[in-house]
Amino acid sequence: MLGYMEDRYPDIEPYEFGLLEVTDGHVLYWETVGDPAGTPAVYLHGGPGSGSTHGARRHFDPGGFRAVLFDQRGCGRSRPLASEPDAELSTNTTAHLVADIERLREHLGIDRWIVVGISWGVTLGLVYAQHHPERVLAMVLGAVTAGTRREIDWITRDMGRVFPREWERFVAAVPANERNKDLCAAYARLLASPDLHTREEAARQWCAWEDTHVSLMPGWTPNPRYEDTAFRMIFARLVTHYWSHGCFLADDQVLNAMDRLSDIPAVLIHGRFDVSGPLDTAWQLHRAWPGSQLVVVDDAGHGGGSFTSELIAALDSFHTLNLPR
């Protein structure tokens, strides 16, 4: 859960939506909300595998933005879903998602847009912008990540020092001979098992840990989406797929290419109490990015408190950027 619903703009329905065929048999669901003549923005959801929610529409001033939201490969209303044990995941990588974003931009006839990302969506947005800086007006990035092995190890191992009882349950689901190895890869194998019970138990345990390591944020309540068996399976399969492959990035790839973003203004928003995603990642990116502003939210963790208010304020500060080149 990121922020509180009352902080957001009123609920709104898309004025346009559709399905876009990309590559490798994937079809993406997309929608646009707000003003067709407004400043274009694209929203990149978290996960990988969370899908775009109705609440995400409410980050955008409907009178100022033409906001594009879509479900990344394998999740949400896109097809095929990643939930089946024989799902082909080799064509679901960071490079594929970056190409999908460009294809969607071209499909909608947008020249440049503001890139908005949350959590995993921050990593994806940064990689996209580093590949296509000429297409990015500005960036608003909340709960900052960079897709490094260090971040993945922190969540899957080091956070056991904070939640030792819950971490023992998380690790106990993995075969004993794999508990000192790559836990993401071990879970990915369990989630690809031909045995339904094995898959479902692995998804349940993975999502229980996901809910635990963000639970120190102010106002936290258990994420109701994890009660949905189908959502659990999609989410767990995609997160473990990406994390077991290092997010399909060279380590420190994002940080080492920050010079490509030097001309792009940005606001980075991060909760002071985001224990599962420590502030140092946002700090390092900010230090390497002269055009960025770092907002540390003192009453938030991985969301909560005034996180959403700060995200919306950052977006509102950019809604007049739809200017001629």
Side-chain angles (χ1 to χ4, degrees):
M1 185 173 105
L2 287 166
Y4 300 113
M5 294 300 288
E6 59 265 28
D7 294 332
R8 309 183 190 192
Y9 283 102
D11 200 9
I12 188 172
E13 291 298 314
Y15 69 81
E16 188 178 18
F17 61 91
L19 296 171
L20 176 65
E21 292 186 12
V22 283
T23 61
D24 314 298
H26 285 274
V27 179
L28 304 185
Y29 171 83
W30 62 270
E31 61 185 33
T32 52
V33 299
D35 180 359
T39 302
V42 61
Y43 177 82
L44 306 178
H45 64 69
S50 291
S52 185
T53 64
H54 290 184
R57 302 169 182 167
R58 299 178 60 185
H59 296 319
F60 300 92
D61 178 354
F65 286 103
R66 177 191 179 187
V68 179
L69 303 93
F70 74 101
D71 294 330
Q72 294 159 28
R73 291 188 181 208
C75 69
R77 291 149 291 187
S78 295
R79 293 296 183 271
L81 294 173
S83 48
E84 294 304 317
D86 59 350
E88 179 54 71
L89 298 185
S90 66
T91 58
N92 198 326
T93 71
T94 304
H96 286 95
L97 300 188
V98 167
D100 290 348
I101 297 169
E102 264 299 89
R103 191 166 184 138
L104 180 57
R105 182 192 62 77
E106 292 169 355
H107 175 72
L108 296 175
I110 293 171
D111 180 38
R112 295 190 297 164
W113 49 9
I114 296 172
V115 175
V116 186
I118 299 291
S119 194
W120 153 251
V122 173
T123 297
L124 178 58
L126 288 167
V127 176
Y128 170 78
Q130 289 172 350
H131 279 80
H132 303 283
E134 74 283 358
R135 298 302 178 189
V136 181
L137 284 165
M139 303 186 78
V140 175
L141 306 172
V144 176
T145 63
T148 63
R149 285 284 186 182
R150 181 184 179 205
E151 292 167 90
I152 294 166
D153 289 344
W154 177 272
I155 291 174
T156 55
R157 286 204 176 273
D158 298 339
M159 283 295 292
R161 298 180 62 187
V162 182
F163 300 104
R165 181 185 298 111
E166 294 86 350
W167 188 79
E168 283 192 7
R169 286 198 292 266
F170 172 62
V171 176
V174 171
N177 65 344
E178 297 188 68
R179 291 173 189 169
N180 292 321
K181 300 177 183 178
D182 185 338
L183 293 173
C184 303
Y187 262 96
R189 285 189 285 273
L190 293 172
L191 289 159
S193 170
D195 180 68
L196 178 61
H197 175 74
T198 299
R199 297 198 307 272
E200 289 186 342
E201 180 63 14
R204 188 178 69 81
Q205 291 291 352
W206 182 272
C207 291
W209 179 244
E210 289 273 2
D211 224 5
T212 296
H213 65 69
V214 299
S215 64
L216 296 183
M217 77 180 188
W220 174 85
T221 56
N223 189 333
R225 300 181 82 190
Y226 293 145
E227 296 300 314
D228 183 329
T229 303
F231 176 81
R232 280 202 308 260
M233 186 64 67
I234 293 166
F235 179 83
R237 285 217 76 196
L238 286 173
V239 173
T240 57
H241 170 63
Y242 273 77
W243 286 8
S244 64
H245 289 89
C247 295
F248 300 95
L249 301 171
D251 216 22
D252 285 329
Q253 177 177 323
V254 168
L255 185 60
N256 290 337
M258 291 306 294
D259 60 304
R260 300 179 188 175
L261 308 183
S262 59
D263 295 330
I264 298 175
V267 179
L268 312 180
I269 300 160
H270 205 86
R272 175 77 69 186
F273 299 109
D274 192 345
V275 178
S276 65
L279 182 57
D280 63 338
T281 297
W283 177 251
Q284 289 169 356
L285 293 175
H286 169 58
R287 290 289 299 273
W289 195 352
S292 70
Q293 173 190 357
L294 175 61
V295 176
V296 179
V297 188
D298 286 328
D299 65 349
H302 201 69
S306 54
F307 183 97
T308 298
S309 296
E310 293 290 352
L311 185 75
I312 290 172
L315 276 168
D316 287 350
S317 73
F318 287 138
H319 76 70
T320 59
L321 282 178
N322 191 19
L323 303 172
R325 295 188 70 170

